Amino acid sequence: MFILNCNSNIMVYMIKSIFLCVLTAFLIGFITYCFFYPIIGEVSLERGDGYVDFFGSIILAPFFETLLLVFFVFLTKKIISNMMFVSLFVALLFSIMHSTISILWGVVVFFPFCIYVLSYQVWLFKSNKYGFFTSASIHAGVNATSVLLSSLLFS
């Protein structure tokens, strides 16, 4: 499985990871919304100013959330040694945090955050910089896709 291999080309790894995250987030979001609409209710698609959306979603959020991710991984690894369980636990924490804004958002971000945490841990074998850069870049790519699609669909 490519996601556990840091010996591949880092750009190919990131592109595959972004595609995997976007695809699963879309499918999970669509299925969750269709089957659990009475629980979730209306989903707000309000957007801010285009530049604020772009800068905040694609640059600031991935950077600061990856810093927080690194901190959570560091703490979690003191208790859990299995890379998959660390990924699931940290992704659950981020999912809960995103659920405070919207339940659907919390559900949708769970799998992408599993990938962000897993990629951080995998590329950590090369170096801290590789781990941080890979995780933050995948996150930025997923957010860029989201901002681009919402701009095209809802403008």
Side-chain angles (χ1 to χ4, degrees):
M1 178 183 232
F2 84 90
I3 203 74
L4 299 174
N5 183 6
C6 67
N7 294 322
S8 62
N9 181 304
I10 194 167
M11 293 304 291
V12 172
Y13 181 96
M14 288 189 296
I15 290 168
K16 286 180 177 179
S17 298
I18 290 167
F19 180 75
L20 182 62
C21 288
V22 169
L23 180 64
T24 55
F26 173 78
L27 291 174
I28 291 168
F30 181 76
I31 291 167
T32 303
Y33 185 75
C34 288
F35 290 104
F36 298 101
Y37 176 78
I39 297 169
I40 295 169
E42 289 295 322
V43 177
S44 172
L45 297 172
E46 294 177 25
R47 295 185 4 238
D49 181 8
Y51 294 112
V52 172
D53 253 3
F54 179 83
F55 187 73
S57 297
I58 300 169
I59 297 170
L60 291 179
F63 178 78
F64 287 111
E65 287 183 347
T66 304
L67 284 176
L68 193 57
L69 178 149
V70 169
F71 177 71
F72 285 152
V73 167
F74 174 76
L75 290 179
T76 306
K77 280 190 162 210
K78 291 185 177 286
I79 302 165
I80 304 169
S81 61
N82 184 295
M83 204 180 339
M84 294 294 186
F85 288 134
V86 170
S87 297
L88 291 170
F89 181 76
V90 174
L92 181 63
L93 292 176
F94 276 94
S95 185
I96 291 168
M97 287 188 286
H98 283 81
S99 290
T100 62
I101 297 166
S102 163
I103 294 171
L104 182 62
W105 195 5
V107 172
V108 167
V109 302
F110 177 75
F111 188 78
F113 267 96
C114 285
I115 299 298
Y116 306 156
V117 177
L118 201 53
S119 66
Y120 169 72
Q121 293 179 90
V122 166
W123 286 89
L124 201 56
F125 289 116
K126 293 255 184 199
S127 75
N128 287 329
K129 289 178 186 177
Y130 272 100
F132 187 91
F133 174 76
T134 305
S135 181
S137 296
I138 295 167
H139 191 163
V142 170
N143 286 5
T145 305
S146 175
V147 169
L148 178 65
L149 288 176
S150 66
S151 296
L152 293 173
L153 296 173
F154 303 108
S155 58

